[in-house]
Amino acid sequence: MALGVGTVATELRSTFAGGKTRTIEWRVSQLKALLTISNNHQKDIVEALRADLNKPEHEAFVHEIAGVISSCKLALKELRRWMKPEKVKTTMTTHPSSAEIVSEPLGVILVISTWNYPFLLSLDPVIGAIAAGNAVLLKPSEVAPATSSLLSKLLGQYMDTSAVKVVEGGVPETTALLEQRWDKMFYTGNSKVGRIILAAAAKHLTPVVLELGGKCPLVVDSNTNLEVTARRIIGGKWGCNSGQTCVSPDYVITTKAFASKLVDAISSELEKFYGKDPLQSNDMSSIINSHHFERLTKLLDDDKVSGKIVIGGQRDKANLKIAPTVVLDVPEDSLIMNEEIFGPLLPIVTVNEIEDSIRVINAKEKALAAYLFTNDKKLKEEFIRSVSAGGMSINETTLHLAERTLPFGGVGESGMGSYHGKFSFDTFSHKKSVLIRGFSGDIAARYPPYTHEKLNFLKAMLSGNIFRILRALIGW
Ligand code: NAD
């Protein structure tokens, strides 16, 4: 495979150079093909996601298939408008002139994807790259092999394979791909590999988008609707792929006085959703593999944590299942408070005053998402102003990423660049500045021989003061 990677990249480059991917007809045909895949192969997609993650059909459809469909539909609806050059005003400096910003495709895009939403997170960036008129190579995650193989099969069957290709594989294949020159790389995954991608990009000055993760904080004020809060925490944590989601709440902060009420509310709603024995529920994904199962149980078996379990803690190694688990007041230096959890474990940290939560959050790296539940307007404003994160939802979890009018991406340790909706189109386009002039207005003052009068005149022009300009003209 490593040998073939260069050939694949060369083929894509030659297709792009041929110009067909730039046409609106080609872009539309490929977006429609992705729509056909998502509409006509739902059963295959659900089966692949079940094989990889034991993902419930409900989540497979709502979180993955529907996301691809809505991205395709939005791009198909808006494409003409997005592609139109944007006219901008010009100033005295270039008068008389007109100007526009032209979106041009970058060339050949490499998309390296991850395993937790292997259908959505593979295709969503591909949709943006195609909409912007690029050729694309997709490398799905080897950690979700059934979905990777299905993507390879379906894209091979429905797409223009001279311009959209899939290379399956793991580290050796990705390493070989990273040696090639790309016009943009779009990586979703952990920050350790993110650094490998960035280092490889430096060699060819390739721009990158890094969609990474981190520890997403969630703050619960006592002035809240407790029942709705508990349900939405569960929805964003255990109802999102058993917490194996980049924007799932990683830890909760609440006040010492309110913590037990919150634990009780979460416990009671959890039982309504998943029954008395959640390990038997079919409504929760499994842990992706035994490596991640061991990683998660190690976080729980840490001496600093094991005595602090207030909900759950049960596990089923054979079926790679861990019950929804809440731990209360674990020490700051425990493993669970220092690693991204990415699974069904939720620590609750307590503070004296809810305002202290901002200090706790800001002491850590910038997260991909941050959440606050409160009815307090002042606290809401303070949180939005003081907490830096890729994005946030107030009185909700994870839902900001479903809003296609908002950019989705990280900041600092949680990544760089963003996508979704028009932001995807922009991410995979170069914004070319175009200034158009006629042959009039060719003022002598800009050309040598330089004189004091010419300089005075140019300074007057820049000042924009009409009297100064007239005086300079008279003096010239
Ligand atoms: P992963 O193991 O599937 O790795 C991601 C990709 O990197 C894969 O395609 C893999 O082949 C490649 N890769 C792995 N090791 C490599 C290496 N040494 N060199 C080159 N390529 C390599 O996924 P993961 O990293 O376990 O994903 C989980 C992480 O992704 C979490 O941190 C999560 O928060 C983050 N994530 C972020 C987003 C987002 O949109 N920001 C979405 C999902 C997951």
Side-chain angles (χ1 to χ4, degrees), residues 107-297:
V108 184
I109 309 295
L110 173 63
V111 174
I112 302 171
S113 195
T114 184
W115 54 265
N116 60 337
Y117 292 80
F119 186 70
L120 174 74
L121 296 180
S122 293
L123 293 188
D124 221 1
V126 169
I127 292 166
I130 288 172
N134 299 282
V136 199
L137 192 146
L138 166 67
K139 209 299 287 175
S141 176
E142 73 282 17
V143 183
T147 313
S148 172
S149 139
L150 183 68
L151 282 166
S152 172
K153 185 179 128 196
L154 293 178
L155 267 62
Q157 199 176 325
Y158 285 87
M159 309 293 290
D160 171 1
T161 52
S162 70
V164 181
K165 292 184 187 291
V166 178
V167 167
E168 286 192 89
V171 177
E173 289 77 8
T174 318
T175 307
L177 286 170
L178 289 176
E179 280 161 17
Q180 303 297 313
R181 187 166 77 80
W182 307 94
D183 297 299
K184 190 150 198 172
M185 295 200 277
F186 187 104
Y187 166 79
T188 308
N190 68 72
S191 60
K192 199 169 141 220
V193 176
R195 286 170 165 81
I196 296 175
I197 308 289
L198 204 50
K203 187 172 159 199
H204 298 292
L205 275 187
T206 303
V208 294
V209 173
L210 298 180
E211 291 286 343
L212 311 177
K215 291 184 85 62
C216 301
L218 183 148
V219 175
V220 183
D221 180 25
S222 57
N223 180 2
T224 192
N225 179 324
L226 189 53
E227 193 183 321
V228 176
T229 301
R231 293 167 83 94
R232 290 184 182 171
I233 291 175
I234 297 168
K237 181 75 176 178
W238 299 285
C240 278
N241 209 19
S242 278
Q244 299 167 105
T245 299
C246 54
V247 288
S248 274
D250 186 278
Y251 63 103
V252 168
I253 310 175
T254 193
T255 57
K256 286 194 190 341
F258 194 63
S260 62
K261 280 192 187 142
L262 181 63
V263 171
D264 289 348
I266 293 176
S267 172
S268 129
E269 295 302 317
L270 271 173
E271 196 175 315
K272 287 185 206 160
F273 290 177
Y274 301 115
K276 280 199 184 309
D277 182 1
L279 291 179
Q280 301 306 318
S281 170
N282 290 322
D283 293 337
M284 237 187 334
S285 300
S286 301
I287 307 306
I288 180 78
N289 55 30
S290 52
H291 161 71
H292 281 279
F293 184 88
E294 299 301 336
R295 179 183 65 77
L296 286 161
T297 49

Side-chain angles (χ1 to χ4, degrees), residues 213-215 217 361-362 364-369 388-390 410-415:
K215 291 184 85 62
I361 295 170
N362 286 345
K364 295 187 186 296
E365 296 288 356
K366 293 179 180 181
L368 184 59
S388 178
V411 58
E413 191 70 18
S414 58

Side-chain angles (χ1 to χ4, degrees), residues 263 296-297 299-315 322-330 336 344-348:
V263 171
L296 286 161
T297 49
L299 295 182
L300 216 47
D301 294 340
D302 177 357
D303 286 345
K304 293 174 176 158
V305 172
S306 52
K308 308 268 184 177
I309 297 173
V310 287
I311 299 175
Q314 309 88 328
R315 57 198 81 166
I322 300 178
T325 298
V326 175
V327 294
L328 182 61
D329 266 335
V330 289
I336 203 168
L345 322 176
L346 185 67
I348 299 182

